[in-house]
């Protein structure tokens, strides 16, 4: 539905779950559609694209900013994860977002918290292999956020392709009344996939990080020229990445985009996904090879 109601000038900031639930209940009572963009803040153009899609298609847009501790492993970057609430609020206001939900960790996970929800199988591949806590934390917090915000539509970027598939499975398997809207990955003008973690990169590391999108582009060109062997494509990506310093490959996966099963031959729709540590940042990128 296109928004027709009068919008307020400033964003409503909510940190209490009870208050957020009350606002959503009132919007639902007025038959207004709720669009929801869950984030961990440090907003960039990729987030703003999700927000734009929500503003265009829903009466009210709620954005959450919550750095979710349960999706970080013990040696990961929870403490150093960038937090820029004031500048994020400026961006949300400029975009015309109606409500910001930014709960504290204690509000979301009070002492004695003990319930987690897990999507099996597809959570165990790719990022789930090297970050075993990741998807259990994501599905738990996303289900909690859906229960609090009660959106009609929730918007997620295809940069986190596996996360999207896991959330779609969560919604389908638990019969949740929310439509998951996929939004294509957004790149910087030089090809680097947008990510909050890009700001950890030094200028040298940023140059190195370009090899992710460059190696994917080269892979797509090779496939167009007739290469069908997944090993050949994976070897060429590895070679492209290995040429760069400070580049530590976590995985190169050439797999089915729904089951995440590795492929030997590139036939049918195929996902090529990478995770690479560049300096302090673990970066991911992907592309889809459509059936040809
Ligand atoms: O993609 C993210 O930023 C996070 O994983 C999400 C979906 C907000 C859950 O914490």
């Amino acid at each position: 539905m296109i928004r027709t109601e009068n919008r307020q000038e400033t964003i409503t900031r909510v940190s209490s779950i009870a208050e957020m639930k009350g606002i959503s209940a009132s919007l639902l009572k007025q038959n207004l559609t709720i669009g929801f963009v869950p984030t961990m803040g440090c907003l960039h153009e990729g987030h703003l694209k999700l927000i734009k899609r929500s503003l265009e298609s829903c009466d009210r847009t709620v954005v959450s900013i919550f750095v979710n501790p349960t999706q970080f492993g013990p040696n990961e970057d929870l403490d150093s994860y960038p937090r820029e609430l004031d500048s994020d609020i400026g961006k949300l206001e400029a975009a015309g977002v109606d409500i910001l939900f930014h709960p504290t960790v204690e509000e979301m996970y009070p002492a004695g918290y003990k319930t987690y929800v897990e999507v099996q199988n597809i959570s165990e591949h790719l990022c789930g292999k090297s970050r075993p806590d990741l998807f259990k934390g994501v599905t738990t917090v996303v289900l909690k956020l859906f229960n609090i915000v009660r959106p009609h539509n929730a918007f997620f970027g295809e940069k986190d392709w596996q996360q999207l598939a896991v959330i779609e499975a969560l919604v389908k398997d638990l019969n949740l009344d929310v439509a998951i809207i996929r939004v294509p990955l957004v790149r910087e003008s030089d090809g680097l996939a947008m990510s909050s973690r890009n700001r950890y990169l030094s200028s040298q590391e940023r140059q190195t990080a370009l090899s992710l999108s460059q190696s994917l582009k080269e892979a797509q060109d090779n496939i167009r020229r007739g290469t069908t062997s997944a090993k050949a494509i994976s070897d060429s990506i590895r070679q492209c990445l290995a040429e760069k310093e400070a580049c530590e490959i976590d995985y190169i996966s050439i797999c089915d985009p729904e089951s995440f099963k590795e492929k030997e031959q590139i036939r049918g729709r195929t996902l090529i996904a990478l995770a690479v540590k560049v300096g302090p940042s673990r970066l991911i990128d992907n592309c889809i090879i459509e059936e040809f």
Side-chain angles (χ1 to χ4, degrees), residues 38-40 66 68 71 138 141-142 156 160 163 167:
T39 81
M40 298 206 297
F66 179 64
N68 174 35
Q71 70 190 74
V138 168
V141 81
V142 167
F156 292 88
D160 296 297
Q163 169 173 283
I167 290 168

Side-chain angles (χ1 to χ4, degrees), residues 70 93 206 233:
T70 64
E93 284 187 332
R206 203 180 173 300
I233 294 295

Side-chain angles (χ1 to χ4, degrees), residues 24 55 60 83 94 141 154 157 164 176 193 207 240 252 256 262 276:
S24 289
L55 289 165
R60 294 292 183 270
R83 290 158 171 91
V141 81
L164 241 166
L176 304 182
Q207 282 307 309
C240 175
I252 299 168
D256 180 276
E262 294 297 317
V276 179

Side-chain angles (χ1 to χ4, degrees), residues 109-216:
Y109 299 108
Y113 186 88
K114 51 180 101 49
T115 304
Y116 293 86
V117 53
E118 221 170 333
V119 170
Q120 295 185 331
N121 192 313
I122 57 171
S123 295
E124 286 142 32
H125 301 268
L126 315 191
C127 288
K129 240 188 212 159
S130 40
R131 302 184 64 197
D133 300 317
L134 172 66
F135 292 117
K136 183 171 141 193
V138 168
T139 43
T140 299
V141 81
V142 167
L143 179 59
K144 282 171 72 67
L145 290 166
F146 284 172
N147 283 333
I148 296 163
V149 176
R150 295 173 66 195
H152 295 84
N153 296 334
F155 298 80
F156 292 88
E158 288 187 332
K159 171 168 165 277
D160 296 297
W161 186 279
Q162 190 183 9
Q163 169 173 283
L164 241 166
V166 167
I167 290 168
E168 284 170 340
L170 171 84
V171 166
K172 180 166 176 269
D173 291 351
L174 297 186
N175 313 100
L176 304 182
D177 285 327
V178 53
I180 301 300
I181 314 293
R182 293 178 156 252
V183 180
L185 186 156
V186 183
R187 296 184 182 280
E188 306 274 3
S189 55
D190 58 8
L192 183 65
M194 297 235 178
S195 162
S196 304
R197 289 186 167 101
N198 289 350
R199 59 194 74 194
Y200 295 146
L201 299 169
S202 68
S203 58
Q204 172 73 43
E205 287 159 354
R206 203 180 173 300
Q207 282 307 309
T208 300
L210 288 181
S211 56
L212 274 81
S213 55
Q214 284 162 357
S215 68
L216 286 175

